[in-house]
Amino acid sequence: MHKVWFVGAGPGDPDLITVKGRDLIARADAILYAGSLVAEAALRWAPADCDVADSKDMTLEQINTWLITRAQRHATVVRLQTGDPSLYGALIEMVQALDAAHIAVEVVPGVSSAFAAAAAAVESLTLPEVTQTVILTRVEGRTPMPDGESLTDLARHRSTLCLFLSITLLHKVKADLLAAGWALETPVIVVHKASWPGEEQIIRGTLADIRARCKAAHINSQAMIITGPTLGARTWETLARSKLYDATFSHRFRKVKKPAATEEPV
């Protein structure tokens, strides 16, 4: 059966693609990859006779036409996308065209740059009694935000924020978070090309100075912005410990033995 596979290539390091994604590339008849974002090294497993194209200068209509025509003549077609296909990847716009052409599709998830950035900085996005919520969003630019999803609205939750596609709008990030009641000294991390071998940069700062720090480092694209109450916890003197690993906490894999009752003296 002919099928188009949407494969998440991960954040940049070719070794972070899933085993399933790598195996699909290795047996693909045709691969369309997002060359502006996906390291070409991710194609190292493609067969020598594979029909390979770069979509960085294509319109959506051209991408859809390429996928449909290749799927009509090949059994395995791969659309290789940065990060995870379900995040900011125009997945549904491409799937609708394939559905209309009666071509089967399947999606293989990938590592998001949000998680690669947190890993690079050795940060936890959640901590017990600090925040248990992570918001993946972007700052409003040419693409408008739906009602209730402005950064100021979301920031009022005081949870961790992972901001995609927003590095050129750090001035607006600062203004929106201050409007939501965040402090100027709130820590912010910007990770440029998270996991990309030899190209990754980690910039640490605060709402007050992160924009200046990024300008000094000439970072203006392909960057993840992370801020929230858990940043810097590695150096905190005290942490609320996870109940899951607490010696007094029972769960289905570990039962805590209660001490035997002692009789009161008569």
Side-chain angles (χ1 to χ4, degrees):
M1 182 179 182
H2 293 213
K3 182 181 289 188
V4 173
W5 296 81
F6 290 86
V7 176
D13 184 347
D15 289 337
L16 288 180
I17 194 169
T18 64
V19 173
K20 185 170 184 176
R22 180 201 64 193
D23 290 348
L24 279 165
I25 290 173
R27 64 181 176 86
D29 301 302
I31 299 172
L32 182 64
Y33 71 102
S36 60
L37 297 171
V38 176
E40 192 169 354
L43 301 175
R44 63 177 65 165
W45 301 286
D49 59 348
C50 186
D51 183 355
V52 178
D54 184 350
S55 66
K56 67 173 176 287
D57 61 351
M58 292 183 180
T59 64
L60 176 65
E61 289 72 24
Q62 290 171 325
I63 289 173
N64 289 340
T65 297
W66 195 97
L67 293 173
I68 291 168
T69 56
R70 268 57 177 190
Q72 288 171 339
R73 69 176 85 139
H74 297 304
T76 303
V77 177
V78 170
R79 166 59 175 165
L80 190 60
Q81 296 188 212
T82 183
D84 182 277
S86 65
L87 277 172
Y88 305 110
L91 173 67
I92 299 305
E93 296 166 67
M94 288 180 267
V95 168
Q96 283 185 334
L98 292 165
D99 286 345
H102 306 290
I103 295 169
V105 301
E106 195 162 335
V107 179
V108 178
V111 177
S112 168
S113 59
F115 306 125
V122 194
E123 295 284 354
S124 179
L125 302 178
T126 61
L127 282 173
E129 299 180 28
V130 179
T131 185
Q132 297 289 283
T133 301
V134 180
I135 297 176
L136 308 179
T137 189
R138 60 176 297 174
V139 178
E140 184 172 58
R142 286 184 293 179
T143 301
M145 297 296 285
D147 289 344
E149 290 189 24
S150 72
L151 185 56
T152 300
D153 289 335
L154 297 176
R156 290 195 176 101
H157 292 285
R158 299 301 181 96
S159 55
T160 298
L161 299 172
C162 295
L163 305 179
F164 292 74
L165 308 168
S166 301
I167 190 60
T168 61
L169 298 170
L170 279 170
H171 63 288
K172 184 166 175 52
V173 172
K174 176 181 176 180
D176 287 354
L177 295 189
L178 291 178
W182 292 44
L184 278 171
E185 60 269 21
T186 298
V188 182
I189 293 174
V190 171
V191 182
H192 173 64
K193 290 193 172 183
S195 85
W196 287 57
E199 298 187 62
E200 178 183 272
Q201 293 184 69
I202 302 172
I203 308 297
R204 293 180 181 270
T206 64
L207 275 182
D209 65 11
I210 193 64
R211 185 184 181 199
R213 289 176 181 270
C214 288
K215 288 181 71 174
H218 305 291
I219 294 175
N220 54 23
S221 66
Q222 292 176 266
M224 172 59 55
I225 304 166
I226 301 178
T227 187
T230 66
L231 294 190
R234 188 177 184 179
T235 63
W236 295 358
E237 292 185 2
T238 58
L239 288 173
R241 297 180 64 178
S242 170
K243 295 291 189 294
L244 180 63
Y245 304 111
D246 192 301
T248 64
F249 185 76
S250 291
H251 53 73
R252 65 192 181 101
F253 296 109
R254 186 185 69 236
K255 301 300 181 185
V256 175
K257 294 182 179 180
K258 296 182 179 180
T262 55
E263 294 184 4
E264 295 289 332
V266 178

